[in-house]
Amino acid sequence: MTIEIQFASFFSMIVTGFYLGCMFDTNERIARAIKGHLIFNFICQFVFWLIQSMLIFYGLVRVNGGQVRLYFLIAIIFGYWLYFFLFRKIYQLILEKIIQLIRTLFLTFLKIINLFLIKPVKFVFQAFLTVVNLVIMVVMKLFSFLLLILSWFFRPIFLIIPKNMRKYLVSLPQLYSKIKDIVGKRKQK
């Protein structure tokens, strides 16, 4: 390995340490926001560190063919140290602003979906229910009006029928009570 490749590897590991610091803070911020189950949190942390180690090794393969030296680990620690003491506060502020921006965009998207999709569907459904209720009410009023006209029409006929014949004609409440009595007697048997 030539000296140029070693310097390139050393500086890429410093950048990798800086990157690891950023990703570690991002991961911790997301983990705090999710607050999932312990096993889910463990799996997420495992996958996070697995991906980070794969990215580090891929970077090493691209720079120097995948050779690992002790001073590369020191360079990663130095890069993390630079991040932690010089840029961590700035990165956390930027990260919070990005999270707030994403949250605002997501809530705006939900409001737009609600305004242009859900509310119109609700309105159409409520209008449909209102029309159906109106139709039912009109039909009921027409039916009661027809019954009133029929009762006016049949009342003179009913009055013409002799009283001893009227006892065989039954009103609706009497008919209901007779049916109820018949059904009740059958249930008792």
Side-chain angles (χ1 to χ4, degrees), residues 94-184:
I94 292 170
L95 181 64
E96 286 300 319
K97 295 292 183 189
I98 290 171
I99 290 172
Q100 287 176 356
L101 177 68
I102 291 171
R103 184 179 294 146
T104 303
L105 289 174
F106 182 71
L107 291 175
T108 304
F109 177 72
L110 287 179
K111 286 179 183 177
I112 289 171
I113 292 295
N114 187 29
L115 183 65
F116 290 113
L117 186 66
I118 295 173
K119 282 190 177 183
V121 169
K122 277 184 174 180
F123 176 75
V124 167
F125 185 69
Q126 287 176 345
F128 175 74
L129 287 180
T130 303
V131 168
V132 167
N133 285 337
L134 183 64
V135 167
I136 290 172
M137 190 173 67
V138 166
V139 167
M140 294 297 287
K141 292 289 182 181
L142 285 174
F143 185 69
S144 67
F145 180 71
L146 287 174
L147 283 178
L148 182 65
I149 290 174
L150 285 175
S151 70
W152 285 346
F153 178 72
F154 285 114
R155 181 174 289 275
I157 296 172
F158 185 72
L159 293 174
I160 295 173
I161 298 174
K163 284 189 178 182
N164 58 359
M165 292 274 301
R166 281 190 217 168
K167 67 180 179 181
Y168 296 109
L169 298 176
V170 181
S171 66
L172 284 179
Q174 290 172 337
L175 180 65
Y176 174 73
S177 74
K178 284 185 180 183
I179 293 172
K180 187 176 176 184
D181 290 341
I182 292 170
V183 170

Side-chain angles (χ1 to χ4, degrees), residues 17-106:
F18 192 87
Y19 163 79
L20 277 178
C22 294
M23 289 301 105
F24 179 75
D25 278 345
T26 304
N27 181 42
E28 289 299 312
R29 176 62 178 90
I30 292 171
R32 263 188 290 136
I34 293 175
K35 295 180 184 176
H37 193 265
L38 185 64
I39 294 173
F40 178 72
N41 193 14
F42 173 76
I43 291 171
C44 288
Q45 293 296 323
F46 178 76
V47 169
F48 169 77
W49 285 111
L50 182 67
I51 290 172
Q52 298 310 314
S53 61
M54 288 170 59
L55 287 174
I56 290 170
F57 188 71
Y58 177 74
L60 274 176
V61 168
R62 297 290 293 174
V63 172
N64 69 5
Q67 296 179 7
V68 179
R69 306 285 170 114
L70 178 64
Y71 61 89
F72 292 164
L73 296 175
I74 293 170
I76 290 173
I77 293 170
F78 180 69
Y80 182 77
W81 180 82
L82 281 175
Y83 164 76
F84 189 79
F85 286 108
L86 299 178
F87 297 103
R88 184 173 190 204
K89 298 285 183 195
I90 296 169
Y91 178 76
Q92 286 178 341
L93 287 173
I94 292 170
L95 181 64
E96 286 300 319
K97 295 292 183 189
I98 290 171
I99 290 172
Q100 287 176 356
L101 177 68
I102 291 171
R103 184 179 294 146
T104 303
L105 289 174
F106 182 71

